Amino acid sequence: MSNIPSHLQYTESHEWVSTEDNGNARIGISDHAQEALGDIVFVELPVVGDEISQGDPCAVVESVKAASDIYAPVSGRVVAINEDLDSDPALINADPYGDGWFFELELIDAEELESLKDSEAYEESLDE
């Protein structure tokens, strides 16, 4: 059974979004996704300043099993990346909702958040 925090929002492709106190969106992948990938060995993150659109591939995660694109759950401008993942990509396996976050966006359209799943809907989609 995957860990699915209720304060986050999720995409069909297993990214999560946390709306931060400053209004930015912090992005990562779900516990389910990191489990499916296995041991993560490399992450390619977007560059601070990049503008990305909802649904676009914006990062890559490589594990011992496969490489997988990460899709932008919302549109925005990248304002921070998790530089710790450069030296320790296994943080994603160890703590996908905490130290294993990927990047932070300044939202372009906060209404896009309404298209994301809550924890209950995300959990139901995993059961299908």
Side-chain angles (χ1 to χ4, degrees), residues 66-85:
S68 182
D69 284 331
I70 303 303
Y71 298 93
V74 290
S75 301
R77 185 175 59 82
V78 179
V79 294
I81 60 168
N82 186 350
E83 295 178 4
D84 293 340
L85 297 181

Side-chain angles (χ1 to χ4, degrees), residues 99-113:
D99 292 338
W101 65 279
F102 284 27
F103 57 92
E104 203 169 291
L105 294 176
E106 180 181 358
L107 292 172
I108 290 174
D109 182 0
E111 287 185 15
E112 288 178 346
L113 293 167

Side-chain angles (χ1 to χ4, degrees), residues 26-47:
R26 184 169 278 190
I27 315 296
I29 61 170
S30 70
D31 188 43
H32 174 82
Q34 70 80 21
E35 278 181 16
L37 284 165
D39 293 336
I40 295 172
V41 296
F42 177 75
V43 182
E44 182 181 325
L45 298 173
V47 176

